[in-house]
Structures are given as structure tokens and as C-alpha cells.
Amino acid sequence: QVQLVESGGGLVQAGGSLRLSCAASGRTFSNSAMGWFRQAPGKEREFVATITWSASNTYYADSVKGRFIISRDNAKNTVYLQMSSLKPEDTAVYYCAAQLRWYGTGSSDPHEYDYWGQGTQVTVSS
């Protein structure tokens, strides 16, 4: 059974940092693009960042560019999201997602992902 498990969320003051992790099990995703999305209360799920299978390319939403960094460790089947200079508007449940197909380029479209984690809450206080 494939599972994506996020961790690292929590409560942080504005300007602070958090590092999210997403550990995959049940199959390897070392050949697949992965991504992070988030959903705030009353809002639709939105794209945050994506990374190709080899980590050669990364893409970010404009709202997080320059503050967040996505990375991966294929040996650990894990993807990370380092978040810095956090703002109250970053408050959301953050979800990890993975594509089934190999060597994909990643996507900002949530429909392009086949597996999802259960989410981890990030709350940024002002």
C-alpha cells in the first residue's frame, strides 16, 4: 500500500521557519516528480512547489518564490519543503503529492498527481 506521510508542521511566528518532510512508502518515487500543495480554510487547494525526479528542476508558486525551497532525497524516498520568512497568509494544511508516471516534469495542476498525503497543519501567527 502506497503511503505519503507528511511531518514537520506546527505553530510558528511570522518571519520564522519550518521544514516539512514527506516520507513515501509502498513504492519508490525516485523516478517520479513530486510536489507540495496547500489549502487554507475556505479556499481551494493551491500549488506551492514541485520537483522533478532527478531534482534538476524545481518550480514555485509566485507567492512562495524566494522563501520556500523544495528538495528530495531519493535514497530515503523523501521530499522536503524548507519554508522561511513565513507569513500569516502561509497558514494552511500542506499536502505532499507524487506522480505515478516516471520522469515527469512535475506540475502545478493537482490533477496531475496520483498519490497524496494526509496533510500537516502549518499555522503562522502575526
Side-chain angles (χ1 to χ4, degrees):
Q1 182 181 356
V2 176
Q3 279 192 313
L4 301 178
V5 179
E6 301 98 334
S7 61
L11 174 63
V12 63
Q13 288 188 332
S17 299
L18 281 174
R19 187 196 195 204
L20 305 184
S21 299
C22 171
S25 62
R27 62 158 284 173
T28 180
F29 288 100
S30 59
N31 296 317
S32 302
M34 300 185 73
W36 286 95
F37 291 76
R38 66 186 183 186
Q39 188 167 18
K43 295 187 177 181
E44 293 187 352
R45 189 168 298 191
E46 66 172 358
F47 167 73
V48 175
T50 187
I51 186 168
T52 54
W53 68 276
S54 63
S56 59
N57 288 294
T58 57
Y59 304 95
Y60 299 90
D62 288 342
S63 58
V64 306
K65 202 172 295 182
R67 300 189 297 121
F68 290 10
I69 298 174
I70 187 171
S71 62
R72 66 189 299 162
D73 184 338
N74 285 340
K76 296 182 178 179
N77 220 18
T78 299
V79 65
Y80 306 96
L81 186 68
Q82 177 67 49
M83 306 185 294
S84 303
S85 302
L86 283 162
K87 305 175 182 180
E89 50 264 44
D90 294 319
T91 295
V93 177
Y94 283 71
Y95 297 91
C96 169
Q99 293 184 337
L100 178 62
R101 69 181 184 275
W102 284 14
Y103 311 129
T105 56
S107 175
S108 60
D109 183 353
H111 297 97
E112 294 290 321
Y113 294 85
D114 303 283
Y115 299 102
W116 292 84
Q118 83 290 346
T120 185
Q121 176 70 46
V122 172
T123 302
V124 184
S125 63
S126 57

